[in-house]
C-alpha cells in the first residue's frame, strides 16, 4: 500500500539517489520534480498525487500522477500535450487541474512560464551568429608556426612589398606624399638614376673613332689605280712622249709624302711595301714596231 509519509522519512533521513547537497542548499535531480528543490511538497516520489511539465523536442507536455495508477508503473503518468500559445496552455492546465492543490497548480504555471521564456531565448540565439570556441593541441600550434615561418621566408615578403609600393608610387596612386624616410628616398633615387643610365647605354650604339680613317680610305682608292703608274726606272727616258708620265710620277710621290706625314705610320708603311712589291713584281719594257708601208714608228709598253 502507498504511504507517502513513510517514503519521505526513508528518502530524507536515510538515502536518496536523486538528492544533491551543495553549499547553497539541497536539490533534486529527478526529471519529474516541478521545482528542483528537495522538500516534502516538491518530491515526486513521496507524493501519490503529483503533476509537472516536461519538454520533448520543443513541445511541452503536462504530466499527472494519481494514486489509482500506483500499481501500474508503466501507466503511472498521464500525459497531455500543451499548445505553443502561452494563454491556451494555461487554460488547458486550469481545465485538467481544477480540483488539485493550489500550491501545486501555482508551481506548474510558474514552471510553464520559465520554460516558455527559455524557449524564446533559445530561438533568438539560434538565429544569431555566434563564435565557436575550439581547442587545438600544442603540437599542431607549433607545427603551424613552423610552416608559417618557412612560408614567409620563401615568399620574401619584404622584397615583394617594396616592389609593389614602388610600382604604386610610380603610377601616382598615393599622390603628393612628403613624409618619405630620407634613407629610403635616397635609395630609390639612386636606383632610378642607375636604371636610366643603363637604358641610355642600351639605346645608344657604340661608335669608335679611328684617327686617320679618311686618309686610309683615300690611300685605298689610290691603290686601286696603282697599276696605271709608270715605274721610276722610266723617268729618265729620252723619248718625248714619256715626259708627261714623269711629271705624273713626281706628283704622285709628292702626294704620298704628304699622306705619310698626315696619316698613321702602320698604314703608310703598308702602302709603301705594297707599292715596292708591285714595282718589283712587274717591270715595264718599251718596244718599237716599224711598219714598212706606213713608214711610221709605234711605241708599245709591256
Amino acid at each position: 500500500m502507498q504511504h507517502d509519509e513513510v517514503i519521505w522519512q526513508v528518502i530524507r533521513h536515510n538515502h536518496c539517489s536523486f538528492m544533491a547537497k551543495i553549499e547553497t542548499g539541497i536539490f533534486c535531480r529527478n526529471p519529474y520534480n516541478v521545482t528542483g528543490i528537495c522538500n516534502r511538497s516538491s518530491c515526486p516520489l513521496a507524493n501519490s498525487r503529483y503533476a509537472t511539465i516536461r519538454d520533448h523536442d520543443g513541445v511541452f507536455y503536462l504530466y499527472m500522477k494519481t494514486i489509482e495508477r500506483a500499481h501500474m508503473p508503466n501507466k503511472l503518468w498521464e500525459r497531455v500535450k500543451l499548445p505553443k500559445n502561452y494563454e491556451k496552455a494555461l487554460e488547458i492546465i486550469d481545465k485538467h487541474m481544477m480540483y488539485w492543490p493550489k500550491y501545486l497548480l501555482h508551481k506548474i504555471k510558474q514552471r510553464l512560464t520559465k520554460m516558455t521564456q527559455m524557449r524564446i531565448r533559445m530561438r533568438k540565439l539560434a538565429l544569431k551568429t555566434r563564435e565557436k570556441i575550439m581547442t587545438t593541441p600544442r603540437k599542431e600550434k607549433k607545427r603551424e608556426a613552423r610552416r608559417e615561418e618557412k612560408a614567409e621566408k620563401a615568399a620574401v615578403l619584404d622584397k615583394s612589398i617594396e616592389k609593389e609600393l614602388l610600382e604604386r608610387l610610380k603610377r601616382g596612386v598615393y599622390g603628393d606624399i612628403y613624409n618619405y624616410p630620407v634613407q629610403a628616398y635616397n635609395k630609390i633615387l639612386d636606383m632610378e638614376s642607375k636604371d636610366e643610365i643603363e637604358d641610355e647605354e642600351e639605346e645608344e650604339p657604340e661608335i669608335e673613332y679611328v684617327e686617320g680613317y679618311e686618309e686610309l680610305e683615300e690611300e685605298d682608292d689610290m691603290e686601286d689605280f696603282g697599276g696605271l703608274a709608270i715605274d721610276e726606272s722610266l723617268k729618265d727616258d729620252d723619248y718625248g712622249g714619256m715626259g708627261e708620265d714623269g711629271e705624273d710620277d713626281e706628283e704622285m710621290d709628292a702626294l704620298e709624302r704628304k699622306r705619310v706625314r698626315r696619316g698613321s705610320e702602320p698604314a703608310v708603311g703598308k702602302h709603301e711595301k705594297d707599292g715596292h712589291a708591285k714595282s718589283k713584281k712587274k717591270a715595264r719594257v718599251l718596244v718599237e714596231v716599224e711598219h714598212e708601208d706606213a713608214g711610221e714608228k709605234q711605241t708599245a709598253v709591256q
Side-chain angles (χ1 to χ4, degrees):
M1 185 176 178
Q2 182 77 15
H3 201 286
D4 295 341
E5 191 65 31
V6 174
I7 295 171
W8 172 249
Q9 292 295 328
V10 172
I11 290 172
R12 181 65 175 177
H13 298 290
N14 292 330
H15 175 71
C16 180
S17 59
F18 298 107
M19 185 184 297
K21 292 183 178 180
I22 58 175
E23 295 180 357
T24 55
I26 302 173
F27 296 93
C28 181
R29 295 194 185 95
N30 195 309
Y32 290 94
N33 195 313
V34 71
T35 59
I37 301 171
C38 183
N39 54 23
R40 176 71 177 83
S41 58
S42 299
C43 183
L45 301 177
N47 290 284
S48 300
R49 193 178 187 184
Y50 197 78
T52 186
I53 294 176
R54 295 191 65 186
D55 182 11
H56 292 283
D57 297 331
V59 181
F60 296 155
Y61 291 91
L62 174 64
Y63 281 79
M64 295 176 291
K65 181 178 75 169
T66 58
I67 196 170
E68 288 82 9
R69 294 191 296 272
H71 62 285
M72 294 183 295
N74 59 342
K75 297 179 181 179
L76 184 63
W77 295 92
E78 181 184 359
R79 190 174 74 171
V80 178
K81 184 178 180 180
L82 299 176
K84 292 184 178 181
N85 192 348
Y86 178 70
E87 295 179 355
K88 291 182 179 179
L90 290 177
E91 291 178 359
I92 291 173
I93 291 171
D94 291 335
K95 180 179 178 181
H96 285 83
M97 299 183 68
M98 186 180 298
Y99 302 106
W100 287 62
K102 300 295 182 182
Y103 174 79
L104 189 59
L105 180 63
H106 174 68
K107 291 296 181 183
I108 288 172
K109 290 182 178 179
Q110 190 177 10
R111 183 177 177 84
L112 177 65
T113 304
K114 292 291 184 182
M115 292 177 70
T116 304
Q117 293 174 357
M118 184 181 66
R119 183 168 60 184
I120 292 170
R121 288 197 300 270
M122 288 173 65
R123 289 177 180 175
K124 288 182 179 180
L125 291 173
L127 296 174
K128 186 178 179 180
T129 57
R130 299 179 64 185
E131 295 181 357
K132 187 176 181 181
I133 300 173
M134 298 179 67
T135 58
T136 55
R138 187 177 298 175
K139 290 183 179 180
E140 291 184 2
K141 288 183 179 179
K142 290 182 179 180
R143 184 169 61 247
E144 294 296 331
R146 287 195 300 270
R147 288 179 180 176
E148 288 178 1
E149 187 177 357
K150 290 180 181 178
E152 288 179 359
K153 288 181 180 179
V156 191
L157 292 178
D158 295 337
K159 297 290 183 181
S160 60
I161 290 169
E162 184 178 357
K163 185 177 180 181
E164 182 67 23
L165 290 175
L166 287 174
E167 290 179 357
R168 291 185 182 181
L169 187 62
K170 290 178 181 178
R171 291 198 303 267
V173 175
Y174 300 112
D176 297 332
I177 301 175
Y178 300 99
N179 58 348
Y180 293 118
V182 179
Q183 295 179 356
Y185 185 70
N186 294 331
K187 183 179 178 182
I188 292 167
L189 289 178
D190 295 338
M191 291 172 63
E192 290 181 355
S193 61
K194 288 180 181 178
D195 294 338
E196 291 176 358
I197 293 169
E198 290 177 358
D199 295 338
E200 290 177 359
E201 290 179 355
E202 291 177 358
E203 291 176 359
E204 294 181 358
E206 295 181 357
I207 300 172
E208 294 182 359
Y209 179 75
V210 179
E211 186 178 357
Y213 182 73
E214 296 177 357
E215 286 83 357
L216 290 174
E217 288 183 351
E218 292 177 359
E219 290 174 3
D220 295 336
D221 295 338
M222 293 305 295
E223 286 177 0
D224 296 336
F225 298 95
L228 299 176
I230 298 173
D231 193 5
E232 293 179 357
S233 63
L234 302 177
K235 286 182 182 179
D236 298 334
D237 196 355
D238 295 336
Y239 296 98
M242 296 301 294
E244 294 178 358
D245 294 336
E247 292 176 359
D248 293 338
D249 291 337
E250 291 178 357
E251 291 178 0
M252 293 295 293
D253 293 336
L255 289 172
E256 287 179 1
R257 292 191 190 102
K258 289 181 182 180
R259 282 197 295 270
V260 169
R261 292 174 185 174
R262 293 178 184 176
S264 60
E265 293 180 357
V268 174
K270 184 180 179 183
H271 179 65
E272 290 177 355
K273 290 179 181 178
D274 294 339
H276 290 298
K278 288 179 181 178
S279 63
K280 290 178 181 179
K281 187 176 181 181
K282 189 175 181 181
R284 294 178 185 155
V285 181
L286 292 174
V287 180
E288 292 182 358
V289 180
E290 184 177 353
H291 297 277
E292 294 179 355
D293 298 336
E296 296 178 356
K297 294 181 179 180
Q298 294 181 358
T299 305
V301 179
Q302 291 183 355

